[in-house]
Amino acid sequence: MTTHGLFVLDLDRCTGCAACVVACNTENEVAEELSWRRIHTFNQQRFATAPVFHFTLACNHCLEPPCLHNCPANAITKDAATGAVLIDQESCIGCRYCAWVCPYEAPRYNSGLGIMEKCTFCEHRLGQDMSPACVTACPTDALQFE
């Protein structure tokens, strides 16, 4: 099993195709409007004097997660083996404090369930020595899991 994983992105290889977003949504059965992974494109207007690049972003599973330290329900934990920051959906009260303190806007509010959700590193896949779905789906190998 991977110990304390992290996402690594090569901006020179990312084309902004969103295969990582689709794979995440499919693997984790996440509604498109609640996507745990998003693509940010810089210089969408394609100004000739500025580079165009894409940045795929999900939870960074911080070493010292502000979401964990500020959750009033103690619903957020950090897995010691993988480093995954996880939300216990049974304990979550949907207060959104975790989203307010997260510098990456990773926790997403699921209004249908009244709870917060976020990237889990595809922990179920890590337990089978597989990479997260977003990494596996990247056609240019721009997104890695180390």
Side-chain angles (χ1 to χ4, degrees), residues 1 14 24 34 39 58-59 68 78 86 94 98 103 110 134:
M1 180 179 285
C14 182
C24 175
L34 294 175
I39 303 288
C59 178
L68 183 150
K78 186 168 181 73
L86 305 168
C98 57
N110 183 325
C134 58

Side-chain angles (χ1 to χ4, degrees), residues 29-83:
E29 299 178 0
V30 177
E32 185 178 342
E33 64 274 6
L34 294 175
S35 289
W36 296 348
R37 178 167 287 284
R38 294 173 302 283
I39 303 288
H40 301 277
T41 299
F42 295 87
N43 190 10
Q44 288 179 329
Q45 299 82 3
R46 302 200 185 290
F47 294 119
T49 58
V52 175
F53 65 94
H54 310 280
F55 187 81
T56 176
L57 185 65
C59 178
N60 283 303
H61 301 274
C62 303
L63 290 176
E64 293 294 327
C67 59
L68 183 150
H69 300 299
N70 288 281
C71 177
N74 293 320
I76 301 176
T77 58
K78 186 168 181 73
D79 183 86
T82 64

Side-chain angles (χ1 to χ4, degrees), residues 74-144:
N74 293 320
I76 301 176
T77 58
K78 186 168 181 73
D79 183 86
T82 64
V85 177
L86 305 168
I87 300 174
D88 177 3
Q89 295 184 340
E90 297 295 319
S91 300
C92 180
I93 59 174
C95 67
R96 304 181 199 181
Y97 284 3
C98 57
W100 295 336
V101 298
C102 176
Y104 307 104
E105 300 177 358
R108 310 290 293 205
Y109 182 68
N110 183 325
S111 60
L113 299 175
I115 58 170
M116 301 304 290
E117 300 178 339
K118 59 177 260 337
C119 169
T120 64
F121 267 160
C122 287
E123 189 179 43
H124 59 284
R125 292 175 59 97
L126 295 182
Q128 299 172 20
D129 289 326
M130 298 168 61
S131 293
C134 58
V135 171
T136 302
C138 182
T140 63
D141 293 327
L143 186 60
Q144 297 292 316

